[in-house]
Amino acid sequence: MRIMKFGGTSVGKPERMHQVKDLITRTSERKIVVLSALSGTTNALVGIGDALAEGKKDLAKERIDALHAHYLEFYKQLLETEAGQKKAEKIIKEHFEFLNIILKISFNEAINRDILAQGELLSTKLFYTLLEEKDIPAIFLPALEFMSIDENNEPELSKISDRLKSILKNYEKDAIFVTQGYICKNHRNEVDNLKRGGSDYTASLIGAAIKASVVEIWTDIDGMHNNDPRVVDKTRPIAQLSFDEAAELAYFGAKILHPASIWPAQNYNIPVKLLNTMEPEAAGTTITAEETGKGVKAIAAKDGIIAVKIKSSRMLLAYGFLRKVFEIFEKYKTPIDMITTSEVAVSVTIDDDSHLKDIVLELEKFGNTEVDYGQTIICVAGNMIAENTGMVKEVMDALVDFPLRMVSYGGSRNNVSILIDTKYKNEALQRLNDELFQW
């Protein structure tokens, strides 16, 4: 069975939703179609929740009405028959009645998660209505019936697999199943989610759960490019990546793929393809366990990075110092991206500042603590590049004109990471592109 995930831009306009319909009916192979919310919807729902959290119900109502108006226009362009349009109108009415009821009750985080779930619920129901209108047999597969996370917000893969296989047994002759990305139930049986970009994660988890033949991630770009095409000239899609290479690039900023979506497919050796909804014949990028060729494959950049430096003369020969530092970040559930050490200082980077004040307060017990905002991690990824000294020299030569805040080299054989002030990012990416990719 094939998993086909379509992102927000792939379903964000009526004509694109029709393209998705055509794509999923090109072959007779059984498939589970995973849909994100329509582009812009999740941001709008976040805005509604933010307004309610601040007690601004009038603003929340204004945002609900604006989103409602968008959907009322959307379904009229999506569906042709009176029956299809009536069904879509009823679906939209139900979901926006729910959003308006929330205006009248006390707001909390559980309600906020309910709000965020509306996007995927709407997109899948409208798409399923389109399939019905076109007499395309399909089964609606509610993600909330099988997707779940535990108390640590980690997916319960074995439970997901058992539930999903049990459901699919009832439909052994059916070929198309439609479900939601992103949303799930938590350990309290409340509606929850897999965080931003979670639809990719859903697709990979479903693929692992049923041992799919392939997981296809359909977006609006023809595969993962060797650099960020939004800021760099002359980029190209990469035909093949290993799971490790793709994981490095996704974690360090390649927007086309959610960082967590690699490991479920990797654990069960399920190929992942990154494909373009608007150019379905393009080869895209295939991600497998196979490692091909040595050298740099691609460059990615992750913005919003904060560097934290702890300097203390007591560090010299201090047994257990690093453990104590890491325990502070662990206490506040704040992951560290990069780390460099010297005899008297340690620098780490984080991308979550929600507990930064508390972290700094505790770190200052060990020594002088400095915080630098506005940093970017540039990741240069490829097969065994950390073992190729000539390649690392090329990377450093390309960046010779820029002040480098940190360099991580050797932690992974597939990655060299550099921390740089964000104001230099675009120029640094272009320089690396010109030096490392000769075409």
Side-chain angles (χ1 to χ4, degrees):
M1 182 177 278
R2 175 183 304 199
I3 312 302
M4 302 178 72
K5 177 264 174 180
F6 294 90
T9 55
S10 295
V11 294
K13 295 180 180 180
E15 60 269 26
R16 290 189 177 175
M17 199 171 270
H18 278 272
Q19 286 178 313
V20 171
K21 176 257 298 176
D22 294 337
L23 284 170
I24 69 170
T25 54
R26 291 199 304 177
T27 68
S28 58
E29 182 181 0
R30 297 183 84 205
K31 55 189 69 73
I32 296 178
V33 180
V34 181
L35 299 186
S36 298
L38 274 60
S39 55
T41 296
T42 300
N43 285 341
L45 293 170
V46 168
I48 291 166
D50 288 346
L52 288 170
E54 295 169 6
K56 299 176 180 178
K57 292 192 175 183
D58 289 344
L59 178 59
K61 173 62 174 171
E62 181 181 320
R63 289 173 175 174
I64 290 170
D65 290 345
L67 188 61
H68 192 185
H70 174 70
Y71 274 85
L72 291 177
E73 286 299 315
F74 186 93
Y75 89 84
K76 292 173 186 175
Q77 299 175 46
L78 177 70
L79 300 156
E80 298 174 350
T81 66
E82 183 179 354
Q85 290 196 355
K86 281 186 176 179
K87 183 174 181 180
E89 190 175 8
K90 183 180 178 182
I91 290 167
I92 293 166
K93 180 181 179 182
E94 289 174 353
H95 284 277
F96 281 92
E97 280 181 350
F98 168 77
L99 290 174
N100 280 294
I101 287 171
I102 286 174
L103 293 171
K104 302 174 183 177
I105 61 179
S106 180
F107 180 80
N108 56 47
E109 186 53 38
I111 288 175
N112 191 46
R113 293 193 294 268
D114 271 320
I115 292 171
L116 295 177
Q118 302 309 301
E120 278 70 20
L121 293 170
L122 279 162
S123 66
T124 49
K125 289 178 182 179
L126 290 173
F127 182 69
Y128 188 72
T129 302
L130 173 63
L131 296 182
E132 286 184 320
E133 182 180 78
K134 299 299 181 182
D135 293 322
I136 299 170
I139 302 298
F140 192 76
L141 199 65
L144 297 179
E145 292 184 4
F146 61 88
M147 289 296 299
S148 64
I149 55 177
D150 62 20
E151 61 272 16
N152 296 314
N153 295 323
E154 292 296 329
E156 300 177 310
L157 187 55
S158 62
K159 291 182 180 180
I160 293 168
S161 179
D162 290 343
R163 296 188 198 111
L164 191 50
K165 287 177 180 177
S166 177
I167 294 170
L168 292 175
K169 279 182 181 179
N170 299 319
Y171 305 102
E172 292 182 352
K173 294 182 179 179
D174 294 280
I176 298 174
F177 300 84
V178 178
T179 193
Q180 300 87 20
Y182 179 63
I183 65 175
C184 60
K185 288 285 189 75
N186 60 29
H187 68 287
R188 294 183 294 272
N189 203 37
E190 300 167 337
V191 174
D192 212 315
N193 58 68
L194 298 173
K195 310 302 180 261
R196 284 287 188 149
S199 292
D200 288 356
Y201 201 6
T202 299
S204 187
L205 288 166
I206 291 175
I210 64 169
K211 310 299 188 295
S213 60
V214 65
V215 174
E216 297 177 351
I217 308 294
W218 292 82
T219 66
D220 59 351
I221 186 171
D222 51 343
M224 187 176 289
H225 279 229
N226 68 301
N227 209 327
D228 189 339
R230 297 167 300 178
V231 298
V232 174
D233 296 329
K234 298 181 181 178
T235 68
R236 289 185 178 181
I238 309 160
Q240 196 276 337
L241 288 169
S242 69
F243 285 120
D244 288 338
E245 291 166 342
E248 298 277 12
L249 291 165
Y251 184 77
F252 286 108
K255 302 297 184 184
I256 192 173
L257 191 63
H258 187 271
S261 64
I262 293 297
W263 74 260
Q266 184 173 14
N267 282 356
Y268 293 92
N269 200 24
I270 299 167
V272 176
K273 287 182 175 287
L274 308 179
L275 301 165
N276 188 347
T277 310
M278 275 58 80
E279 294 184 31
E281 304 308 321
T285 299
T286 299
I287 304 168
T288 65
E290 183 182 2
E291 295 182 340
T292 59
K294 293 183 180 181
V296 175
K297 293 275 189 74
I299 303 162
K302 185 177 182 180
D303 294 330
I305 301 299
I306 304 156
V308 181
K309 180 179 180 181
I310 309 101
K311 185 175 181 181
S312 172
S313 58
R314 290 181 293 161
M315 281 187 65
L316 186 63
L317 303 179
Y319 178 78
F321 180 86
L322 285 177
R323 174 180 56 81
K324 293 174 184 178
V325 169
F326 292 150
E327 283 176 347
I328 293 172
F329 288 92
E330 181 181 4
K331 176 181 176 180
Y332 292 101
K333 296 183 178 180
T334 302
I336 292 171
D337 290 322
M338 291 176 64
I339 176 170
T340 59
T341 63
S342 71
E343 290 183 344
V344 295
V346 56
S347 291
V348 301
T349 68
I350 60 175
D351 62 3
D352 178 2
D353 65 353
S354 52
H355 299 288
L356 185 57
K357 288 183 180 179
D358 294 323
I359 290 170
V360 170
L361 194 63
E362 295 201 33
L363 288 175
E364 285 178 340
K365 298 174 185 176
F366 300 115
N368 183 48
T369 303
E370 300 174 5
V371 178
D372 290 332
Y373 291 87
Q375 304 293 302
T376 292
I377 294 174
I378 294 177
C379 163
V380 181
N383 185 21
M384 301 178 70
I385 62 170
E387 299 173 18
N388 184 338
T389 55
M391 188 60 65
V392 174
K393 182 179 183 300
E394 288 185 39
V395 171
M396 293 298 106
D397 286 347
L399 299 175
V400 69
D401 295 327
F402 305 102
L404 307 183
R405 177 70 170 74
M406 293 170 61
V407 177
S408 176
Y409 170 54
S412 163
R413 67 176 189 169
N414 297 318
N415 169 25
V416 176
S417 295
I418 302 104
L419 186 70
I420 193 169
D421 193 299
T422 300
K423 66 185 178 184
Y424 301 118
K425 181 191 79 168
N426 290 3
E427 190 178 352
L429 288 178
Q430 187 66 60
R431 190 78 61 85
L432 284 165
N433 203 71
D434 295 341
E435 293 292 330
L436 301 179
F437 304 109
Q438 303 295 325
W439 54 53

